[in-house]
Coordinates of all heavy atoms in Angstrom, one line a residue:
A115 N 7.6 3.6 9.4 CA 6.3 4.0 10.2 C 5.2 3.3 9.8 O 4.4 3.0 10.6 CB 6.2 5.6 9.9
M116 N 4.9 3.0 8.5 CA 3.7 2.3 8.2 C 3.7 0.8 8.8 O 2.6 0.4 9.1 CB 3.6 2.3 6.6 CG 3.4 3.5 5.9 SD 1.8 4.3 6.5 CE 2.6 5.8 7.3
V117 N 4.8 0.3 8.8 CA 4.8 -1.1 9.5 C 4.4 -1.0 10.9 O 3.6 -1.8 11.3 CB 6.2 -1.7 9.3 CG1 6.3 -3.1 10.2 CG2 6.5 -2.0 7.9
L118 N 5.0 0.0 11.6 CA 4.7 0.2 13.1 C 3.2 0.5 13.2 O 2.5 0.1 14.2 CB 5.5 1.2 13.7 CG 7.1 0.7 13.8 CD1 7.8 1.8 14.4 CD2 7.1 -0.6 14.6
V119 N 2.6 1.5 12.4 CA 1.3 2.0 12.5 C 0.4 0.8 12.3 O -0.5 0.5 13.1 CB 1.0 3.0 11.5 CG1 -0.5 3.2 11.4 CG2 1.6 4.3 12.0
Y120 N 0.7 -0.1 11.3 CA -0.1 -1.4 11.0 C -0.2 -2.3 12.2 O -1.2 -2.6 12.8 CB 0.4 -2.1 9.8 CG -0.3 -3.4 9.7 CD1 -1.5 -3.6 9.2 CD2 0.5 -4.5 10.1 CE1 -2.0 -4.9 9.2 CE2 0.0 -5.8 10.1 CZ -1.3 -6.0 9.5 OH -1.7 -7.2 9.4
R121 N 1.1 -2.5 12.8 CA 1.2 -3.4 14.0 C 0.4 -2.9 15.2 O -0.3 -3.6 16.0 CB 2.6 -3.7 14.3 CG 3.3 -4.6 13.2 CD 4.8 -4.8 13.6 NE 5.4 -5.7 12.7 CZ 6.6 -6.1 12.6 NH1 7.4 -5.6 13.5 NH2 7.2 -6.9 11.7
L122 N 0.5 -1.6 15.4 CA 0.0 -0.9 16.6 C -1.6 -1.2 16.4 O -2.2 -1.5 17.4 CB 0.2 0.5 16.7 CG 1.4 1.0 17.4 CD1 1.7 2.4 17.1 CD2 1.3 0.6 18.9
V123 N -2.2 -0.8 15.4 CA -3.7 -1.0 15.2 C -4.0 -2.5 15.1 O -5.0 -2.8 15.8 CB -4.1 -0.2 13.9 CG1 -5.7 -0.3 13.7 CG2 -3.7 1.3 14.1
A124 N -3.3 -3.2 14.4 CA -3.7 -4.6 14.2 C -3.6 -5.6 15.5 O -4.5 -6.3 15.7 CB -2.8 -5.4 13.1
D125 N -2.8 -5.0 16.5 CA -2.6 -5.7 17.7 C -3.8 -5.6 18.5 O -4.2 -6.4 19.4 CB -1.3 -5.3 18.4 CG -0.1 -5.9 17.8 OD1 -0.3 -6.8 17.1 OD2 1.0 -5.4 18.2
S126 N -4.5 -4.4 18.4 CA -5.6 -4.2 19.3 C -7.0 -4.2 18.6 O -8.0 -4.4 19.2 CB -5.5 -2.7 19.8 OG -5.4 -1.7 18.8
A127 N -7.0 -4.0 17.2 CA -8.2 -4.0 16.5 C -8.4 -5.0 15.4 O -9.3 -5.0 14.8 CB -8.5 -2.5 16.1
G128 N -7.3 -5.7 15.1 CA -7.4 -6.6 14.1 C -6.6 -6.2 12.8 O -6.4 -5.1 12.6
R129 N -6.3 -7.3 12.0 CA -5.6 -7.0 10.7 C -6.4 -6.1 9.8 O -5.7 -5.2 9.1 CB -5.3 -8.3 10.0 CG -4.6 -8.2 8.8 CD -4.1 -9.6 8.2 NE -3.4 -9.6 7.0 CZ -3.9 -9.4 5.8 NH1 -5.2 -9.3 5.7 NH2 -3.1 -9.3 4.8
R130 N -7.6 -6.2 9.6 CA -8.4 -5.4 8.7 C -8.4 -4.0 9.1 O -8.2 -3.1 8.2 CB -9.9 -5.9 8.6 CG -10.8 -5.2 7.6 CD -12.2 -5.6 7.8 NE -12.3 -7.0 7.6 CZ -12.5 -7.8 6.5 NH1 -12.5 -7.0 5.3 NH2 -12.7 -9.0 6.3
A131 N -8.4 -3.7 10.4 CA -8.3 -2.3 10.8 C -6.9 -1.7 10.6 O -6.8 -0.6 10.3 CB -8.7 -2.3 12.3
G132 N -6.0 -2.6 10.8 CA -4.6 -2.2 10.5 C -4.4 -1.8 9.0 O -3.7 -0.7 8.7
V133 N -4.9 -2.7 8.2 CA -4.7 -2.2 6.7 C -5.4 -1.0 6.4 O -5.0 -0.2 5.6 CB -5.3 -3.5 5.9 CG1 -5.1 -3.0 4.5 CG2 -4.3 -4.7 6.1
L134 N -6.7 -0.8 6.9 CA -7.5 0.3 6.6 C -6.7 1.5 7.1 O -6.8 2.6 6.4 CB -8.9 0.2 7.2 CG -9.8 1.4 7.0 CD1 -10.0 1.7 5.5 CD2 -11.1 1.2 7.7
T135 N -6.1 1.5 8.3 CA -5.4 2.6 8.8 C -4.3 3.0 7.8 O -4.0 4.2 7.7 CB -5.0 2.3 10.3 OG1 -6.0 2.0 11.1 CG2 -4.2 3.6 10.8
V136 N -3.5 2.1 7.5 CA -2.3 2.4 6.6 C -2.9 3.0 5.2 O -2.4 4.0 4.7 CB -1.6 1.1 6.3 CG1 -0.6 1.3 5.2 CG2 -0.9 0.7 7.5
V137 N -4.0 2.6 4.8 CA -4.5 3.0 3.5 C -5.0 4.4 3.8 O -4.7 5.3 2.9 CB -5.7 2.2 3.1 CG1 -6.5 2.8 1.9 CG2 -5.3 0.8 2.6
L138 N -5.7 4.7 4.8 CA -6.0 6.1 5.1 C -4.9 7.1 5.3 O -4.9 8.2 4.8 CB -6.9 6.1 6.4 CG -8.3 5.5 6.2 CD1 -9.0 5.4 7.6 CD2 -9.2 6.2 5.2
V139 N -3.9 6.7 6.0 CA -2.7 7.4 6.1 C -1.9 7.7 4.9 O -1.6 8.9 4.6 CB -1.7 6.9 7.2 CG1 -0.4 7.6 7.3 CG2 -2.3 6.8 8.5
C140 N -1.9 6.7 4.1 CA -1.0 6.8 2.7 C -1.8 7.6 1.6 O -1.3 7.9 0.7 CB -0.8 5.4 2.3 SG 0.6 4.6 3.2
T141 N -3.1 7.8 1.9 CA -4.0 8.5 0.8 C -4.4 9.8 1.3 O -5.1 10.6 0.7 CB -5.2 7.6 0.4 OG1 -5.9 7.3 1.5 CG2 -4.7 6.4 -0.3
F142 N -4.1 10.2 2.6 CA -4.4 11.5 3.1 C -3.7 12.6 2.3 O -2.7 12.4 1.6 CB -3.9 11.6 4.6 CG -4.6 12.8 5.3 CD1 -5.9 12.9 5.6 CD2 -3.6 13.8 5.7 CE1 -6.4 13.9 6.2 CE2 -4.2 14.9 6.4 CZ -5.6 15.0 6.6
M143 N -4.2 13.8 2.3 CA -3.8 14.8 1.4 C -2.3 15.2 1.6 O -1.7 15.7 0.6 CB -4.7 16.0 1.5 CG -4.6 16.7 2.8 SD -5.8 18.2 2.9 CE -7.3 17.5 2.7
S144 N -1.9 15.0 2.9 CA -0.5 15.4 3.1 C 0.5 14.3 3.0 O 1.7 14.4 3.2 CB -0.4 16.0 4.5 OG -0.8 15.0 5.6
A145 N 0.1 13.1 2.5 CA 0.9 11.8 2.4 C 2.0 12.1 1.5 O 3.0 11.3 1.7 CB 0.0 10.7 2.0
P146 N 2.0 12.9 0.5 CA 3.3 13.0 -0.3 C 4.5 13.4 0.5 O 5.7 13.2 -0.1 CB 2.9 14.2 -1.2 CG 1.3 14.0 -1.4 CD 0.9 13.6 -0.1
V147 N 4.3 13.9 1.7 CA 5.6 14.4 2.4 C 6.4 13.1 2.8 O 7.6 13.3 3.1 CB 5.2 15.2 3.8 CG1 4.6 16.4 3.3 CG2 4.3 14.3 4.6
F148 N 5.8 12.0 2.7 CA 6.6 10.7 3.1 C 7.7 10.5 2.2 O 8.4 9.5 2.3 CB 5.6 9.5 3.2 CG 4.7 9.5 4.4 CD1 3.3 9.3 4.2 CD2 5.2 9.9 5.6 CE1 2.5 9.4 5.3 CE2 4.4 9.9 6.7 CZ 3.0 9.8 6.5
Q149 N 7.7 11.1 0.9 CA 8.8 11.0 0.0 C 9.4 12.2 -0.4 O 10.2 12.3 -1.3 CB 8.2 10.2 -1.3 CG 7.2 11.1 -2.2 CD 6.3 10.2 -3.0 OE1 5.3 9.7 -2.6 NE2 6.7 10.1 -4.2
M150 N 9.2 13.3 0.3 CA 9.8 14.6 0.2 C 10.8 14.8 1.3 O 10.9 14.1 2.3 CB 8.7 15.6 0.1 CG 7.7 15.5 -1.0 SD 6.4 16.7 -0.9 CE 7.4 18.2 -1.1
C151 N 11.6 15.9 1.0 CA 12.6 16.2 2.2 C 11.9 16.9 3.4 O 12.3 18.1 3.6 CB 13.7 17.1 1.4 SG 14.6 16.3 0.3
Y152 N 11.1 16.2 4.0 CA 10.4 16.8 5.1 C 10.6 15.7 6.3 O 10.9 14.5 6.0 CB 8.9 16.9 5.0 CG 8.4 18.2 4.4 CD1 8.8 18.5 3.1 CD2 7.7 19.1 5.1 CE1 8.3 19.7 2.6 CE2 7.3 20.3 4.5 CZ 7.6 20.6 3.3 OH 7.2 21.8 2.7
S153 N 10.5 16.1 7.6 CA 10.8 15.1 8.6 C 9.6 14.4 9.1 O 9.6 13.7 10.1 CB 11.4 16.0 9.8 OG 10.5 16.9 10.4
E154 N 8.5 14.5 8.4 CA 7.2 13.8 8.8 C 7.3 12.4 8.9 O 6.8 11.8 9.7 CB 6.0 14.2 8.0 CG 5.3 15.6 8.6 CD 6.0 16.8 8.3 OE1 7.1 16.7 7.6 OE2 5.7 17.9 8.6
G155 N 7.9 11.8 7.9 CA 8.2 10.4 7.8 C 9.0 9.8 9.1 O 8.7 8.9 9.7
L156 N 10.1 10.5 9.4 CA 10.9 10.2 10.6 C 10.1 10.4 11.9 O 10.1 9.7 12.7 CB 12.2 11.0 10.5 CG 13.2 10.9 11.8 CD1 13.6 9.4 11.9 CD2 14.3 11.9 11.6
T157 N 9.3 11.5 11.9 CA 8.6 11.9 13.1 C 7.5 10.7 13.4 O 7.3 10.2 14.5 CB 7.8 13.2 13.0 OG1 8.8 14.2 12.7 CG2 7.0 13.5 14.2
L158 N 6.8 10.3 12.3 CA 5.8 9.3 12.5 C 6.4 8.0 12.9 O 5.9 7.2 13.7 CB 5.0 9.1 11.2 CG 3.8 8.1 11.3 CD1 2.9 8.5 12.4 CD2 3.1 7.9 10.0
L159 N 7.6 7.7 12.3 CA 8.3 6.4 12.8 C 8.6 6.6 14.3 O 8.4 5.5 14.9 CB 9.6 6.4 12.0 CG 10.5 5.2 12.3 CD1 9.9 3.8 12.0 CD2 11.9 5.3 11.5
L160 N 9.1 7.6 14.7 CA 9.4 7.8 16.1 C 8.2 7.7 17.0 O 8.2 7.3 18.1 CB 10.3 9.0 16.4 CG 11.7 8.9 15.8 CD1 12.4 10.3 16.0 CD2 12.6 7.9 16.6
V161 N 7.1 8.4 16.6 CA 5.9 8.4 17.3 C 5.4 7.0 17.5 O 5.0 6.6 18.5 CB 5.0 9.4 16.8 CG1 3.5 9.2 17.5 CG2 5.3 10.8 17.0
S162 N 5.2 6.4 16.4 CA 4.7 5.1 16.3 C 5.5 4.0 17.0 O 5.1 3.1 17.7 CB 4.4 4.5 14.9 OG 5.5 4.6 14.2
G163 N 6.9 4.3 16.9 CA 7.8 3.5 17.7 C 7.7 3.7 19.2 O 7.8 2.7 20.0
S164 N 7.5 5.0 19.6 CA 7.2 5.3 21.0 C 6.0 4.6 21.5 O 6.0 3.9 22.7 CB 7.2 6.8 21.3 OG 8.4 7.5 20.9
L165 N 4.9 4.6 20.8 CA 3.7 4.0 21.2 C 3.8 2.4 21.3 O 3.3 1.8 22.2 CB 2.6 4.4 20.3 CG 2.3 5.8 20.3 CD1 1.1 6.2 19.3 CD2 1.9 6.5 21.6
T166 N 4.6 2.0 20.4 CA 4.8 0.4 20.4 C 5.6 0.1 21.7 O 5.3 -0.9 22.4 CB 5.6 0.0 19.2 OG1 4.9 0.3 18.0 CG2 5.8 -1.5 19.3
L167 N 6.7 0.9 21.9 CA 7.5 0.6 23.2 C 6.6 0.8 24.5 O 6.8 0.0 25.4 CB 8.7 1.5 23.2 CG 9.8 1.3 22.1 CD1 10.9 2.4 22.1 CD2 10.4 -0.1 22.4
L168 N 5.7 1.8 24.5 CA 4.8 2.1 25.7 C 3.9 0.8 25.8 O 3.7 0.4 26.9 CB 4.1 3.3 25.4 CG 3.1 3.7 26.6 CD1 4.0 4.0 27.8 CD2 2.4 5.0 26.2
S169 N 3.3 0.3 24.8 CA 2.4 -0.8 24.9 C 3.1 -2.0 25.3 O 2.5 -2.9 25.9 CB 1.8 -1.0 23.5 OG 2.8 -1.5 22.5
R170 N 4.4 -2.1 25.0 CA 5.2 -3.4 25.5 C 5.8 -2.9 26.9 O 6.6 -3.9 27.3 CB 6.1 -3.7 24.3 CG 5.6 -4.1 23.1 CD 6.4 -4.6 22.0 NE 5.7 -4.9 20.9 CZ 6.3 -5.3 19.7 NH1 7.6 -5.3 19.6 NH2 5.7 -5.6 18.7
R171 N 5.7 -1.8 27.4 CA 6.2 -1.3 28.6 C 7.7 -1.4 28.7 O 8.5 -1.8 29.6 CB 5.6 -2.3 29.8 CG 4.2 -2.2 29.8 CD 3.6 -3.1 30.7 NE 2.1 -3.1 30.6 CZ 1.2 -3.8 31.2 NH1 1.6 -4.7 32.1 NH2 -0.1 -3.7 31.0
R172 N 8.4 -1.1 27.5 CA 9.9 -0.9 27.5 C 10.1 0.6 27.7 O 10.5 1.4 26.9 CB 10.3 -1.3 26.0 CG 9.8 -2.7 25.7 CD 10.5 -3.9 26.5 NE 12.0 -3.8 26.4 CZ 12.6 -4.5 25.3 NH1 11.8 -5.2 24.5 NH2 13.9 -4.4 25.2
Y173 N 10.1 1.0 29.0 CA 10.2 2.4 29.3 C 11.5 3.0 29.1 O 11.7 4.2 28.7 CB 9.7 2.4 30.8 CG 8.3 2.1 31.0 CD1 8.0 1.0 32.0 CD2 7.3 2.6 30.5 CE1 6.8 0.6 32.2 CE2 6.0 2.2 30.6 CZ 5.7 1.2 31.6 OH 4.5 0.8 31.8
A174 N 12.6 2.3 29.3 CA 13.9 2.8 29.0 C 14.1 3.1 27.6 O 14.6 4.2 27.2 CB 15.0 1.9 29.5
L175 N 13.7 2.2 26.8 CA 13.8 2.5 25.3 C 12.9 3.6 24.9 O 13.1 4.4 24.0 CB 13.6 1.3 24.4 CG 14.6 0.1 24.7 CD1 14.1 -1.1 23.9 CD2 15.9 0.5 24.1
L176 N 11.7 3.7 25.5 CA 10.8 4.8 25.2 C 11.5 6.2 25.5 O 11.2 7.1 24.7 CB 9.5 4.6 26.0 CG 8.5 5.8 26.1 CD1 8.1 5.9 24.6 CD2 7.3 5.4 26.9
A177 N 12.2 6.2 26.5 CA 12.9 7.4 26.8 C 13.8 7.8 25.8 O 14.0 9.1 25.4 CB 13.6 7.3 28.2
C178 N 14.5 6.9 25.3 CA 15.5 7.1 24.2 C 14.8 7.5 23.0 O 15.2 8.5 22.2 CB 16.3 5.8 23.8 SG 17.4 5.3 25.2
A179 N 13.6 6.8 22.6 CA 12.8 7.4 21.5 C 12.2 8.8 21.6 O 12.3 9.5 20.7 CB 11.6 6.5 21.2
L180 N 11.8 9.2 22.9 CA 11.5 10.5 23.1 C 12.6 11.5 22.9 O 12.5 12.7 22.5 CB 10.8 10.6 24.5 CG 9.6 10.0 24.7 CD1 9.1 10.2 26.1 CD2 8.5 10.7 23.8
L181 N 13.9 11.1 23.3 CA 15.0 12.1 23.0 C 15.2 12.3 21.6 O 15.4 13.4 21.0 CB 16.2 11.3 23.7 CG 17.6 12.0 23.4 CD1 17.6 13.4 23.9 CD2 18.7 11.2 23.9
L182 N 15.0 11.2 20.8 CA 15.3 11.4 19.4 C 14.1 12.2 18.7 O 14.4 13.1 17.8 CB 15.3 10.1 18.7 CG 16.5 9.1 19.0 CD1 16.4 7.7 18.3 CD2 17.8 9.8 18.5
L183 N 12.9 12.0 19.2 CA 11.7 12.7 18.8 C 12.0 14.3 19.0 O 11.6 15.1 18.2 CB 10.5 12.2 19.4 CG 9.2 12.8 19.0 CD1 9.1 12.6 17.5 CD2 8.1 12.2 19.6
S184 N 12.5 14.6 20.2 CA 12.8 16.0 20.5 C 13.7 16.7 19.6 O 13.7 18.0 19.5 CB 13.2 16.1 21.9 OG 14.5 15.7 22.1
L185 N 14.6 15.9 18.8 CA 15.5 16.5 17.8 C 15.0 16.3 16.5 O 15.7 16.5 15.5 CB 16.8 15.7 18.0 CG 17.5 15.9 19.4 CD1 18.7 15.1 19.4 CD2 17.9 17.4 19.6
T186 N 13.7 16.0 16.2 CA 13.0 15.8 15.1 C 11.9 16.8 14.7 O 11.9 17.7 13.9 CB 12.5 14.4 14.9 OG1 13.5 13.5 15.2 CG2 11.9 14.1 13.5
R187 N 11.0 16.8 15.7 CA 9.9 17.9 15.7 C 9.3 18.0 17.1 O 9.4 17.1 17.9 CB 8.7 17.3 14.7 CG 9.0 17.5 13.3 CD 7.8 17.1 12.4 NE 6.9 18.3 12.3 CZ 7.0 19.3 11.5 NH1 8.1 19.3 10.6 NH2 6.2 20.4 11.5
P188 N 8.8 19.1 17.4 CA 8.3 19.5 18.8 C 7.0 18.9 19.0 O 5.9 19.6 19.3 CB 8.4 21.0 18.7 CG 8.1 21.4 17.4 CD 8.8 20.4 16.4
V189 N 6.9 17.6 19.0 CA 5.6 16.8 19.2 C 5.7 15.9 20.4 O 4.7 15.2 20.5 CB 5.0 16.2 18.0 CG1 4.8 17.1 16.8 CG2 6.1 15.1 17.5
G190 N 6.8 15.9 21.0 CA 6.9 14.9 22.2 C 5.9 15.1 23.3 O 5.5 14.1 24.0
S191 N 5.4 16.3 23.5 CA 4.5 16.6 24.6 C 3.2 15.8 24.4 O 2.6 15.4 25.4 CB 4.1 18.0 24.7 OG 5.3 18.8 24.9
A192 N 2.9 15.6 23.2 CA 1.6 14.8 23.0 C 1.9 13.3 23.3 O 0.9 12.6 24.0 CB 1.3 14.8 21.5
V193 N 3.0 12.8 23.1 CA 3.4 11.4 23.5 C 3.4 11.3 25.1 O 3.0 10.4 25.7 CB 4.7 11.0 23.0 CG1 5.1 9.5 23.4 CG2 4.7 11.0 21.4
V194 N 3.9 12.4 25.7 CA 4.0 12.5 27.2 C 2.5 12.3 27.8 O 2.4 11.5 28.8 CB 4.6 13.7 27.6 CG1 4.5 13.9 29.1 CG2 6.1 13.8 27.3
L195 N 1.6 13.0 27.2 CA 0.2 12.8 27.7 C -0.3 11.3 27.5 O -1.0 10.9 28.4 CB -0.8 13.7 26.8 CG -0.5 15.3 27.0 CD1 -1.5 16.0 26.1 CD2 -0.9 15.6 28.5
V196 N 0.1 10.6 26.5 CA -0.3 9.2 26.3 C 0.4 8.4 27.4 O -0.1 7.6 28.0 CB 0.2 8.8 24.8 CG1 -0.2 7.2 24.7 CG2 -0.7 9.6 23.8
V197 N 1.6 8.7 27.7 CA 2.3 8.0 28.8 C 1.6 8.2 30.1 O 1.4 7.2 30.9 CB 3.8 8.6 28.9 CG1 4.4 8.0 30.1 CG2 4.6 8.3 27.7
L198 N 1.2 9.4 30.4 CA 0.4 9.7 31.6 C -0.8 8.9 31.7 O -1.3 8.4 32.8 CB 0.2 11.1 31.8 CG 1.4 12.0 32.2 CD1 1.1 13.6 32.1 CD2 2.1 11.6 33.4
V199 N -1.5 8.9 30.6 CA -2.9 8.1 30.4 C -2.6 6.7 30.7 O -3.4 5.9 31.4 CB -3.6 8.4 29.2 CG1 -4.8 7.5 29.0 CG2 -4.0 9.8 29.1
H200 N -1.5 6.1 30.1 CA -1.1 4.7 30.2 C -0.9 4.4 31.7 O -1.3 3.5 32.2 CB 0.1 4.5 29.4 CG 1.0 3.3 29.8 ND1 0.6 2.1 29.2 CD2 1.9 3.0 30.6 CE1 1.4 1.2 29.7 NE2 2.2 1.7 30.6
G201 N -0.2 5.4 32.4 CA 0.1 5.1 33.8 C -1.2 5.2 34.6 O -1.4 4.3 35.5
L202 N -2.1 6.1 34.3 CA -3.4 6.1 35.0 C -4.1 4.9 34.8 O -4.7 4.4 35.9 CB -4.1 7.4 34.5 CG -5.6 7.6 35.1 CD1 -5.4 7.8 36.7 CD2 -6.3 8.7 34.5
M203 N -4.2 4.5 33.6 CA -5.1 3.2 33.4 C -4.4 2.0 34.1 O -5.1 1.1 34.7 CB -5.1 3.0 31.9 CG -5.8 4.0 31.1 SD -7.5 4.3 31.6 CE -8.3 2.7 31.4
R204 N -3.0 1.9 34.1 CA -2.5 0.8 34.8 C -2.7 0.9 36.3 O -3.0 -0.2 36.9 CB -0.9 0.8 34.6 CG -0.5 0.3 33.1 CD 1.0 -0.2 33.2 NE 1.2 -1.3 33.9 CZ 2.3 -1.8 34.3 NH1 3.4 -1.3 33.7 NH2 2.5 -3.0 35.0
Y205 N -2.7 2.2 36.8 CA -3.0 2.3 38.2 C -4.4 1.9 38.5 O -4.7 1.3 39.6 CB -2.7 3.8 38.6 CG -3.0 4.0 40.1 CD1 -2.0 3.7 41.0 CD2 -4.1 4.6 40.5 CE1 -2.2 3.9 42.4 CE2 -4.4 4.9 42.0 CZ -3.4 4.5 42.8 OH -3.7 4.7 44.1
R206 N -5.4 2.2 37.7 CA -6.8 2.0 38.0 C -7.0 0.5 37.8 O -8.0 0.0 38.6 CB -7.8 2.6 36.9 CG -7.8 4.2 37.1 CD -8.6 4.9 36.0 NE -10.0 4.4 36.1 CZ -11.0 4.8 35.4 NH1 -10.7 5.7 34.4 NH2 -12.2 4.3 35.4

Side-chain angles (χ1 to χ4, degrees):
M116 289 307 111
V117 173
L118 292 179
V119 167
Y120 167 78
R121 289 180 175 175
L122 273 171
V123 179
D125 286 348
S126 59
R129 181 176 181 275
R130 187 186 300 273
V133 172
L134 179 59
T135 300
V136 170
V137 171
L138 291 174
V139 174
C140 289
T141 56
F142 192 67
M143 66 179 68
S144 59
V147 296
F148 290 133
Q149 65 205 84
M150 300 175 65
C151 294
Y152 276 64
S153 63
E154 272 73 3
L156 176 60
T157 302
L158 184 57
L159 177 64
L160 290 171
V161 169
S162 55
S164 296
L165 297 178
T166 299
L167 293 168
L168 181 63
S169 68
R170 297 178 181 179
R171 302 172 185 177
R172 304 292 297 274
Y173 300 122
L175 291 177
L176 171 59
C178 295
L180 289 176
L181 174 61
L182 295 177
L183 186 59
S184 70
L185 297 175
T186 305
R187 289 188 74 86
V189 297
S191 297
V193 181
V194 169
L195 290 176
V196 179
V197 173
L198 291 173
V199 172
H200 165 85
L202 176 62
M203 296 305 297
R204 287 200 65 185
Y205 181 78
R206 290 180 61 183

